[in-house]
Amino acid sequence: MTILQALIIALLYWISQAKIWYGFSIMRMPLSIAPFIGLLFGDMKTALEVGATLQMIYIGSIAPGGNPPADEGLASCIAIPIAITANIDPTVAISLAIPLGLLGVVLENVRKTLNSGFVHMADRYAAEGNVRGVQLCATVYPILLAFPMRFIPVFVACLFGPEAIQAFVDMLPAWATNGLSAAGNILPALGFAITMIVIGKKQYIPLFVAGFFLVAYSGISTIGVSIFGACLVLMFMQLKKDNSTQTEVVEESGGLE
């Protein structure tokens, strides 16, 4: 991997986590990052394979109280380039990405702790009536603080990581490599399980399972199933609305009698 490629990936990670605008939050997801990395290395197939599998792992990930359980962006910006440049099997790269995602949470907590200083600084500016100072504390200063914390780890890992990780993988015995591959195949199932828990309502779980097996065995593409699913949801909502309207009419009629 060249220095320029490592610089671009590190900048991509910083931008994906900058959170300048709430809509940018989607940039941290593996499937949003994978196309950029695929274009950068000219291997869109591997990038999307790893990105899609990582997306399934984190598909049910939520951030209660603003505390994410993993950093999907960090895992993607390191695992995808490594899988491409070091010719590591995607499932092995995915299993290596999980601890990287947890490391990103540690960096995020450090960033939030340091950002608390800008809150006190903004209080002082507010007491002085300095609106511009408050705006800088809320936007520019946190972004600048996050730059070295986001940029440096990914740049170093991408620049020196592939060779080091490739040497590490070559040293692993066959049983360890097979174990990592198996873990990489199992982790997406964990992502689906978390999604089922997030759904919460038991009456919807059979629909989730039916959709999964429909994709797995019918040969219909995911987009096709999504369209059918959207139509079924709209029909279900319309029927539910009609039933509610009829119930209200019957209740009003009974009340008039």
Side-chain angles (χ1 to χ4, degrees):
M1 185 184 304
T2 65
I3 295 178
L4 179 60
Q5 289 173 327
L7 285 171
I8 293 174
I9 295 173
L11 285 173
L12 177 64
Y13 174 61
W14 174 65
I15 293 172
S16 70
Q17 297 291 335
K19 300 175 183 176
I20 300 173
W21 173 52
Y22 185 77
F24 268 27
S25 61
I26 195 174
M27 282 293 297
R28 77 179 193 279
M29 303 308 292
L31 273 181
S32 299
I33 294 174
F36 293 101
I37 299 178
L39 288 172
L40 181 63
F41 289 95
D43 189 353
M44 187 65 70
K45 180 177 181 294
T46 303
L48 291 179
E49 283 180 354
V50 179
T53 308
L54 283 173
Q55 185 70 51
M56 288 190 291
I57 295 172
Y58 296 120
I59 194 171
S61 177
I62 59 174
N67 296 310
D71 189 337
E72 308 95 332
L74 182 62
S76 303
C77 287
I78 296 179
I80 298 176
I82 286 175
I84 295 174
T85 58
N87 293 320
I88 296 176
D89 186 83
T91 55
V92 176
I94 290 163
S95 62
L96 293 174
I98 303 306
L100 295 174
L102 297 177
L103 175 62
V105 176
V106 177
L107 293 176
E108 177 68 9
N109 290 334
V110 172
R111 184 190 68 82
K112 289 180 178 179
T113 302
L114 295 177
N115 275 349
S116 62
F118 297 132
V119 177
H120 299 296
M121 189 183 300
D123 289 338
R124 293 195 296 270
Y125 283 135
E128 298 170 0
N130 188 342
V131 176
R132 179 60 177 169
V134 174
Q135 292 173 340
L136 291 174
C137 291
T139 55
V140 177
Y141 296 158
I143 294 174
L144 294 178
L145 173 66
F147 182 79
M149 301 178 64
R150 304 292 191 192
F151 182 88
I152 295 176
V154 173
F155 175 74
V156 173
C158 288
L159 190 60
F160 301 104
E163 292 77 10
I165 291 181
Q166 181 62 60
F168 171 74
V169 171
D170 292 339
M171 293 173 56
L172 291 175
W175 62 266
T177 304
N178 293 336
L180 289 173
S181 298
N185 289 325
I186 292 173
L187 287 170
L190 177 62
F192 279 109
I194 295 174
T195 303
M196 294 174 67
I197 295 173
V198 172
I199 289 174
K201 296 184 178 180
K202 295 181 180 179
Q203 63 267 32
Y204 295 148
I205 292 180
L207 297 175
F208 180 89
V209 175
F212 175 80
F213 283 102
L214 182 62
V215 173
Y217 294 103
S218 68
I220 303 175
S221 66
T222 305
I223 295 177
V225 172
S226 300
I227 294 173
F228 284 122
C231 293
L232 288 173
V233 168
L234 292 174
M235 292 172 60
F236 175 78
M237 293 175 62
Q238 186 62 43
L239 289 172
K240 187 175 181 180
K241 181 179 179 181
D242 292 341
N243 290 335
S244 300
T245 302
Q246 292 178 2
T247 302
E248 292 176 358
V249 171
V250 171
E251 291 177 352
E252 291 177 358
S253 300
L256 291 175
E257 292 178 357

